[in-house]
């Protein structure tokens, strides 16, 4: 058993509490990882607000990390102690019908199908003050050590800087892949991205890499525009500056609407606005933002009748175990620069300050 620090979320709406926890050794088919760095994704914030489905408290959140394998349980062959790894918030079991389908990336062991509050044998490896603490998406990266199933970890190039490539564990891969894999953005096309957080800015990078000629970035926080331009946005708009609804503004700007629109916020209104912003016939809207659990969207079916496509995207369409090592290699070959997404680097004890910065749009 390892004693180390972890940020425990004891209850909805409470700040995280950095505590000493015990992390049990990995059982058969499991891997214990020393987490070196982790990002904060808005999905962690959804959980803290009580808006993410099927999460049980107390829980150790965090799902955008990178680390080094400390030990492995019986039967583990994919990784060994000392390997650099990224824990996978969307696993790839390799056996379910989606894992066997080359077109699919949603493994049926995903939290949304089978809750990941406990490891697959229905027990936890975390305890704190004598209480059992739940896992989150099987990765729980807000801990100095975590235990994950072998099929929820990807071995990466030993040259990778863990404090940078941790972003590939969620935000970067999600946004970049939404453009490249889910929308399959074509060269010369027009794109609109709603929301310029870590995910939306990564969509901008994906659209740029795919050769889009016009990339319109939309956010109510204008402080995000400089970074969006640096990453490839050609136009930046705040809906607050517009006299008309943003979908009308985008349609006028582009003639008939954009070829591809993306929602990376997680609000019903912006999902409908993004859908209405792509052209009525061949336009495609990709939903990346996570709506509060239990919420619903009502829409005018005419929006789809004329031909629009409305798609969701989870983890950017990547098959996680196969693709993350390749994305890390592309990072090392400087095919994209996800370092530009990093705004602040804090010591672990200041994790709550990190959430404050996220909430403040910094
Ligand atoms: P973030 O908080 O860093 O960024 C959200 C951005 O949206 C902010 O810049 C904010 O100013 C902007 N925004 C808020 N309201 C707006 C409005 N009405 N109009 C325009 N802009 C608005 O969040 P993030 O970490 O980038 O995550 C974005 C979303 O993606 C979240 O809902 C998160 O849960 C989701 N997500 C989904 C997946 C997936 O696999 N589908 C993976 C990761 C994150
Ligand atoms: Zn995330
Ligand atoms: Zn699977």
């Amino acid at each position: 058993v390892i004693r180390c620090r972890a940020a425990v979320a004891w209850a909805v709406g409470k700040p995280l509490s950095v505590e000493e926890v015990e992390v049990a050794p990995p059982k058969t088919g499991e891997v214990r990882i020393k987490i070196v760095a982790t990002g904060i994704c808005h999905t962690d914030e959804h959980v803290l607000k009580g808006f993410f489905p099927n999460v049980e408290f107390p829980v150790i959140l965090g799902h955008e990390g990178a680390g080094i394998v400390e030990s492995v349980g019986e039967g583990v062959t994919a990784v060994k102690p000392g390997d650099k790894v990224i824990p996978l918030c969307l696993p790839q079991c390799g056996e379910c019908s989606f894992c066997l389908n080359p077109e699919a990336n949603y493994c049926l062991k995903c939290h949304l199908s089978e809750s990941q509050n406990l490891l697959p044998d229905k027990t936890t490896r975390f305890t704190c003050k004598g209480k059992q603490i739940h896992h989150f998406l099987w990765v729980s990266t807000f801990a100095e050590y975590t235990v994950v199933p072998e099929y929820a970890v990807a071995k990466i190039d030993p040259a990778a800087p863990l404090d940078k490539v941790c972003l590939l564990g969620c935000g970067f891969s999600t946004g970049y892949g939404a453009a490249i894999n889910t929308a399959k953005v074509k060269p010369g096309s027009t794109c609109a991205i709603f929301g310029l957080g870590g995910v939306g800015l990564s969509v901008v990078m994906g659209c740029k890499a795919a050769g889009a000629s016009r990339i319109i970035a939309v956010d109510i926080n204008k402080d995000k525009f400089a970074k969006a331009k640096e990453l490839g946005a050609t136009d930046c708009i705040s809906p607050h500056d517009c006299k008309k609804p943003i979908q009308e503004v985008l349609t006028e700007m582009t003639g008939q609407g954009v070829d591809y629109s993306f929602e990376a916020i997680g609000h019903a209104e912006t999902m409908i606005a993004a859908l209405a912003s792509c052209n009525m016939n061949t336009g495609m809207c990709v939903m990346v933002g996570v709506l509060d659990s239990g919420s619903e969207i009502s829409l005018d079916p005419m929006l789809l009748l004329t031909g629009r496509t409305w798609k969701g995207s989870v983890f950017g369409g990547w098959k996680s175990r196969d693709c993350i090592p390749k994305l890390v290699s592309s990072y090392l070959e400087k095919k994209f620069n996800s370092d530009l997404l990093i705004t602040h680097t804090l010591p672990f004890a200041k994790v709550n300050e990190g959430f404050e910065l996220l909430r403040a749009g910094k």
Side-chain angles (χ1 to χ4, degrees):
V1 173
I2 290 178
R3 291 176 158 274
C4 65
R5 289 179 307 164
V8 179
W10 289 103
V12 169
K14 295 266 163 59
L16 301 179
S17 157
V18 177
E19 311 265 8
E20 188 179 90
V21 298
E22 293 88 41
V23 185
K27 292 192 187 172
T28 302
E30 297 174 356
V31 179
R32 187 160 59 182
I33 302 165
K34 177 182 165 67
I35 295 292
V36 172
T38 181
I40 299 178
C41 166
H42 206 112
T43 303
D44 299 308
E45 170 71 352
H46 286 310
V47 180
L48 280 179
K49 285 189 176 153
F51 292 154
F52 198 74
N54 310 327
V55 176
E56 284 173 72
F57 289 74
V59 58
I60 298 175
L61 300 177
H63 63 280
E64 191 177 80
I68 298 170
V69 174
E70 177 272 334
S71 60
V72 299
E74 216 172 290
V76 170
T77 54
V79 295
K80 58 180 189 315
D83 283 347
K84 283 191 182 173
V85 291
I86 291 184
L88 304 168
C89 54
L90 175 67
Q92 185 184 347
C93 77
E95 289 170 359
C96 72
S97 57
F98 290 131
C99 281
L100 294 172
N101 175 355
E103 304 279 301
N105 86 309
Y106 180 97
C107 173
L108 284 166
K109 301 225 175 271
C110 173
H111 178 82
L112 300 173
S113 294
E114 193 179 292
S115 77
Q116 298 172 353
N117 303 316
L118 296 170
L119 288 179
D121 76 342
K122 306 294 173 215
T123 61
T124 168
R125 300 294 158 269
F126 295 122
T127 48
C128 178
K129 296 175 178 162
K131 285 209 177 69
Q132 306 259 301
I133 310 294
H134 294 94
H135 294 247
F136 177 54
L137 307 182
W138 281 340
V139 291
S140 294
T141 61
F142 295 164
E144 289 173 315
Y145 287 85
T146 190
V147 178
V148 308
E150 182 179 18
Y151 45 76
V153 61
K155 178 178 168 172
I156 58 167
D157 191 314
L162 298 177
D163 59 335
K164 304 289 194 297
V165 298
C166 59
L167 298 185
L168 276 56
C170 185
F172 175 77
S173 304
T174 294
Y176 196 74
I180 300 221
N181 301 325
T182 310
K184 299 190 169 55
V185 167
K186 290 191 188 129
S189 58
T190 55
C191 302
I193 297 94
F194 287 68
L196 303 172
V199 175
L201 289 170
S202 302
V203 177
V204 171
M205 292 170 83
C207 293
K208 166 96 177 161
S213 57
R214 195 162 185 199
I215 301 173
I216 308 171
V218 179
D219 202 298
I220 50 176
N221 179 354
K222 292 192 197 181
D223 294 343
K224 305 274 180 160
F225 292 171
K227 186 56 65 79
K229 288 216 160 130
E230 188 183 352
L231 296 174
T234 54
D235 308 71
C236 294
I237 312 176
S238 166
H240 289 167
D241 289 348
C242 302
K243 294 207 177 71
K244 294 181 184 168
I246 185 71
Q247 55 269 43
E248 287 179 30
V249 174
L250 290 170
T251 304
E252 278 173 21
M253 280 172 76
T254 53
Q256 297 296 331
V258 296
D259 297 310
Y260 307 96
S261 58
F262 300 86
E263 204 273 3
I265 304 164
H267 293 163
E269 322 82 77
T270 43
M271 285 182 183
I272 294 295
L275 176 63
S277 300
C278 69
N279 84 62
M280 64 196 298
N281 187 203
T282 60
M284 181 190 292
C285 176
V286 179
M287 175 198 286
V288 187
V290 177
L291 270 187
D292 295 349
S293 57
S295 53
E296 290 185 354
I297 293 184
S298 72
L299 92 157
D300 176 353
M302 282 309 273
L303 281 169
L304 295 175
L305 187 81
T306 53
R308 283 185 180 90
T309 304
W310 199 13
K311 280 185 122 178
S313 179
V314 70
F315 201 61
W318 305 102
K319 273 194 187 292
S320 60
R321 263 213 288 174
D322 294 346
C323 297
I324 290 302
K326 292 179 192 155
L327 267 180
V328 169
S329 302
S330 299
Y331 166 86
L332 291 170
E333 289 158 15
K334 300 200 183 332
K335 293 200 174 138
F336 54 80
N337 186 1
S338 49
D339 295 358
L340 295 170
L341 300 171
I342 299 172
T343 52
H344 301 77
T345 304
L346 300 170
F348 182 48
K350 292 193 174 172
V351 59
N352 284 309
E353 218 171 278
F355 275 89
E356 288 306 325
L357 290 163
L358 176 90
R359 290 175 194 127
K362 307 264 195 230

